Amino acid sequence: AQTVTQSQPEMSVQEAETVTLSCTYDTSESNYYLFWYKQPPSRQMILVIRQEAYKQQNATENRFSVNFQKAAKSFSLKISDSQLGDTAMYFCAFIPGGYQKVTFGTGTKLQVIP
Amino acid sequence: EAQVTQNPRYLITVTGKKLTVTCSQNMNHEYMSWYRQDPGLGLRQIYYSMNVEVTDKGDVPEGYKVSRKEKRNFPLILESPSPNQTSLYFCASSSGQGAWNEAFFGQGTRLTVV
């Protein structure tokens, strides 16, 4: 069974600064996908970024980037130039290749301070 | 507009009274899932379906049933709800294995069982 750990229940960052949210996972699978989802107060789940395990290059999406360390089973999310709209709960998620059995972390609540 | 529609958005019910939460997607997605979200626990997968008439258990299936008679619909059934099933529920759909970046979530259903 897979496990996903987010060790930071809450974090805060000043507007325009950079923040990194951590995520570690444990699996015996060799092929898998990792995701970060954002959940603002509206409760809507929004995909932020994804990473395929077979790709060595770290994924980036505008101000969002990941640091994927496969050997260390680490998948952190970096948010640059933080904006007030980034205030949300962030979930790390794991899905093995060929399956739809998704495992989410417990979430990190991010507050962006003006 | 591509979307996943859950109904109802809010529901208060009494212990033991059977209920169904509906989920419908208009994107012709093969894969659909149900999750529950609880504070400090993140999202946990209840059931998932990889196609019509194909369903499988997630991590917390006890007390729930699902069916997938049509591609677009994936209802969640609580035969005899109990207070420990009070939670926020999400339905999600995606287009294919590994293509999780196309996952769409519904707006969520806040269920309270008294």
Side-chain angles (χ1 to χ4, degrees), chain A residues 19-42:
Chain A
V19 64
T20 299
L21 281 56
S22 67
C23 173
T24 58
Y25 59 94
D26 189 24
T27 184
S28 57
E29 302 281 343
S30 58
N31 181 30
Y32 52 87
Y33 303 84
L34 295 160
F35 306 86
W36 280 99
Y37 280 90
K38 170 185 177 181
Q39 186 182 46
S42 67

Short mmCIF file of all heavy atoms in Angstrom, two decimals, chain A residues 19-42:
data_model
loop_
_atom_site.label_atom_id
_atom_site.label_comp_id
_atom_site.label_asym_id
_atom_site.label_seq_id
_atom_site.Cartn_x
_atom_site.Cartn_y
_atom_site.Cartn_z
N VAL A 19 7.53 30.08 -1.11
CA VAL A 19 7.27 29.09 -0.07
C VAL A 19 7.36 27.69 -0.68
O VAL A 19 7.05 27.50 -1.86
CB VAL A 19 5.88 29.32 0.56
CG1 VAL A 19 4.76 29.12 -0.45
CG2 VAL A 19 5.68 28.45 1.79
N THR A 20 7.80 26.75 0.14
CA THR A 20 7.91 25.36 -0.31
C THR A 20 7.12 24.46 0.61
O THR A 20 7.30 24.48 1.83
CB THR A 20 9.39 24.91 -0.35
OG1 THR A 20 10.11 25.73 -1.27
CG2 THR A 20 9.49 23.46 -0.80
N LEU A 21 6.25 23.66 0.01
CA LEU A 21 5.44 22.70 0.75
C LEU A 21 6.03 21.30 0.51
O LEU A 21 6.33 20.94 -0.62
CB LEU A 21 3.99 22.73 0.25
CG LEU A 21 3.06 23.84 0.74
CD1 LEU A 21 3.61 25.21 0.44
CD2 LEU A 21 1.68 23.68 0.13
N SER A 22 6.16 20.56 1.57
CA SER A 22 6.83 19.26 1.44
C SER A 22 5.83 18.12 1.33
O SER A 22 4.69 18.19 1.81
CB SER A 22 7.75 19.01 2.63
OG SER A 22 7.00 18.86 3.81
N CYS A 23 6.27 17.06 0.66
CA CYS A 23 5.48 15.85 0.50
C CYS A 23 6.44 14.68 0.34
O CYS A 23 7.36 14.74 -0.49
CB CYS A 23 4.57 15.95 -0.71
SG CYS A 23 3.68 14.41 -1.12
N THR A 24 6.26 13.66 1.11
CA THR A 24 7.02 12.43 0.92
C THR A 24 6.04 11.28 0.74
O THR A 24 4.88 11.36 1.18
CB THR A 24 7.96 12.13 2.10
OG1 THR A 24 7.17 12.03 3.30
CG2 THR A 24 9.00 13.22 2.25
N TYR A 25 6.50 10.25 0.09
CA TYR A 25 5.61 9.13 -0.19
C TYR A 25 6.40 7.82 -0.07
O TYR A 25 7.63 7.82 -0.08
CB TYR A 25 4.99 9.26 -1.58
CG TYR A 25 6.00 9.32 -2.70
CD1 TYR A 25 6.38 8.17 -3.38
CD2 TYR A 25 6.59 10.53 -3.05
CE1 TYR A 25 7.33 8.23 -4.39
CE2 TYR A 25 7.53 10.60 -4.05
CZ TYR A 25 7.90 9.45 -4.71
OH TYR A 25 8.84 9.51 -5.70
N ASP A 26 5.66 6.77 0.05
CA ASP A 26 6.30 5.45 0.14
C ASP A 26 5.56 4.51 -0.79
O ASP A 26 4.33 4.41 -0.75
CB ASP A 26 6.25 4.92 1.57
CG ASP A 26 7.10 3.68 1.74
OD1 ASP A 26 8.04 3.50 0.94
OD2 ASP A 26 6.82 2.89 2.65
N THR A 27 6.31 3.83 -1.65
CA THR A 27 5.70 2.91 -2.59
C THR A 27 6.74 1.92 -3.07
O THR A 27 7.94 2.21 -3.05
CB THR A 27 5.11 3.66 -3.80
OG1 THR A 27 4.44 2.73 -4.66
CG2 THR A 27 6.18 4.38 -4.59
N SER A 28 6.26 0.78 -3.53
CA SER A 28 7.14 -0.19 -4.17
C SER A 28 6.96 -0.16 -5.68
O SER A 28 7.63 -0.90 -6.41
CB SER A 28 6.86 -1.60 -3.64
OG SER A 28 5.50 -1.94 -3.84
N GLU A 29 6.04 0.68 -6.15
CA GLU A 29 5.80 0.80 -7.58
C GLU A 29 6.95 1.53 -8.26
O GLU A 29 7.60 2.39 -7.67
CB GLU A 29 4.51 1.59 -7.83
CG GLU A 29 3.27 1.00 -7.21
CD GLU A 29 2.70 -0.16 -7.99
OE1 GLU A 29 3.07 -0.31 -9.18
OE2 GLU A 29 1.90 -0.91 -7.43
N SER A 30 7.20 1.18 -9.52
CA SER A 30 8.24 1.87 -10.28
C SER A 30 7.64 2.91 -11.22
O SER A 30 8.29 3.87 -11.59
CB SER A 30 9.07 0.86 -11.09
OG SER A 30 8.21 0.13 -11.96
N ASN A 31 6.38 2.71 -11.57
CA ASN A 31 5.70 3.64 -12.46
C ASN A 31 4.53 4.27 -11.71
O ASN A 31 3.64 3.57 -11.23
CB ASN A 31 5.18 2.90 -13.71
CG ASN A 31 4.49 3.84 -14.67
OD1 ASN A 31 4.83 5.02 -14.75
ND2 ASN A 31 3.50 3.35 -15.38
N TYR A 32 4.54 5.59 -11.60
CA TYR A 32 3.49 6.26 -10.86
C TYR A 32 3.46 7.73 -11.24
O TYR A 32 4.32 8.22 -11.99
CB TYR A 32 3.65 6.08 -9.35
CG TYR A 32 5.02 6.44 -8.81
CD1 TYR A 32 5.32 7.75 -8.44
CD2 TYR A 32 6.00 5.47 -8.67
CE1 TYR A 32 6.57 8.07 -7.95
CE2 TYR A 32 7.25 5.78 -8.18
CZ TYR A 32 7.54 7.09 -7.81
OH TYR A 32 8.77 7.40 -7.32
N TYR A 33 2.44 8.42 -10.73
CA TYR A 33 2.25 9.83 -10.99
C TYR A 33 2.02 10.54 -9.66
O TYR A 33 1.40 9.99 -8.76
CB TYR A 33 1.04 10.05 -11.91
CG TYR A 33 1.15 9.30 -13.21
CD1 TYR A 33 0.76 7.97 -13.31
CD2 TYR A 33 1.65 9.92 -14.35
CE1 TYR A 33 0.87 7.27 -14.50
CE2 TYR A 33 1.75 9.23 -15.55
CZ TYR A 33 1.37 7.90 -15.61
OH TYR A 33 1.48 7.22 -16.79
N LEU A 34 2.51 11.76 -9.60
CA LEU A 34 2.35 12.58 -8.40
C LEU A 34 1.68 13.89 -8.77
O LEU A 34 1.91 14.42 -9.87
CB LEU A 34 3.72 12.84 -7.76
CG LEU A 34 4.44 11.61 -7.23
CD1 LEU A 34 5.92 11.88 -7.08
CD2 LEU A 34 3.84 11.18 -5.89
N PHE A 35 0.88 14.41 -7.85
CA PHE A 35 0.10 15.61 -8.14
C PHE A 35 0.05 16.52 -6.92
O PHE A 35 0.14 16.05 -5.78
CB PHE A 35 -1.35 15.23 -8.49
CG PHE A 35 -1.47 14.22 -9.59
CD1 PHE A 35 -1.41 12.86 -9.32
CD2 PHE A 35 -1.62 14.62 -10.90
CE1 PHE A 35 -1.50 11.92 -10.33
CE2 PHE A 35 -1.72 13.69 -11.92
CZ PHE A 35 -1.66 12.35 -11.64
N TRP A 36 -0.11 17.78 -7.18
CA TRP A 36 -0.50 18.74 -6.17
C TRP A 36 -1.84 19.33 -6.56
O TRP A 36 -2.02 19.79 -7.69
CB TRP A 36 0.54 19.86 -6.04
CG TRP A 36 1.73 19.48 -5.23
CD1 TRP A 36 2.94 19.06 -5.68
CD2 TRP A 36 1.82 19.50 -3.79
NE1 TRP A 36 3.79 18.80 -4.62
CE2 TRP A 36 3.12 19.07 -3.46
CE3 TRP A 36 0.94 19.84 -2.77
CZ2 TRP A 36 3.57 18.97 -2.14
CZ3 TRP A 36 1.37 19.75 -1.45
CH2 TRP A 36 2.67 19.31 -1.16
N TYR A 37 -2.76 19.31 -5.58
CA TYR A 37 -4.07 19.92 -5.77
C TYR A 37 -4.21 21.07 -4.78
O TYR A 37 -3.71 21.02 -3.65
CB TYR A 37 -5.20 18.91 -5.52
CG TYR A 37 -5.46 17.99 -6.67
CD1 TYR A 37 -4.81 16.77 -6.77
CD2 TYR A 37 -6.38 18.33 -7.66
CE1 TYR A 37 -5.05 15.91 -7.83
CE2 TYR A 37 -6.63 17.48 -8.72
CZ TYR A 37 -5.97 16.27 -8.79
OH TYR A 37 -6.21 15.43 -9.84
N LYS A 38 -4.95 22.06 -5.21
CA LYS A 38 -5.26 23.23 -4.38
C LYS A 38 -6.75 23.21 -4.07
O LYS A 38 -7.57 22.96 -4.96
CB LYS A 38 -4.90 24.50 -5.15
CG LYS A 38 -5.37 25.80 -4.57
CD LYS A 38 -5.03 26.94 -5.52
CE LYS A 38 -5.55 28.26 -5.01
NZ LYS A 38 -5.24 29.37 -5.95
N GLN A 39 -7.08 23.48 -2.80
CA GLN A 39 -8.48 23.58 -2.42
C GLN A 39 -8.71 24.90 -1.71
O GLN A 39 -8.45 25.05 -0.52
CB GLN A 39 -8.90 22.41 -1.52
CG GLN A 39 -10.40 22.39 -1.21
CD GLN A 39 -10.79 21.25 -0.29
OE1 GLN A 39 -10.14 21.01 0.72
NE2 GLN A 39 -11.87 20.54 -0.63
N PRO A 40 -9.20 25.91 -2.41
CA PRO A 40 -9.49 27.20 -1.78
C PRO A 40 -10.73 27.08 -0.90
O PRO A 40 -11.36 26.02 -0.85
CB PRO A 40 -9.75 28.12 -2.99
CG PRO A 40 -10.14 27.21 -4.10
CD PRO A 40 -9.47 25.89 -3.85
N PRO A 41 -11.09 28.14 -0.20
CA PRO A 41 -12.28 28.09 0.67
C PRO A 41 -13.56 27.70 -0.04
O PRO A 41 -14.50 27.22 0.59
CB PRO A 41 -12.36 29.53 1.22
CG PRO A 41 -10.94 29.99 1.22
CD PRO A 41 -10.32 29.38 -0.01
N SER A 42 -13.61 27.85 -1.33
CA SER A 42 -14.79 27.42 -2.10
C SER A 42 -14.96 25.91 -2.12
O SER A 42 -15.99 25.40 -2.57
CB SER A 42 -14.69 27.92 -3.54
OG SER A 42 -13.61 27.28 -4.20
#
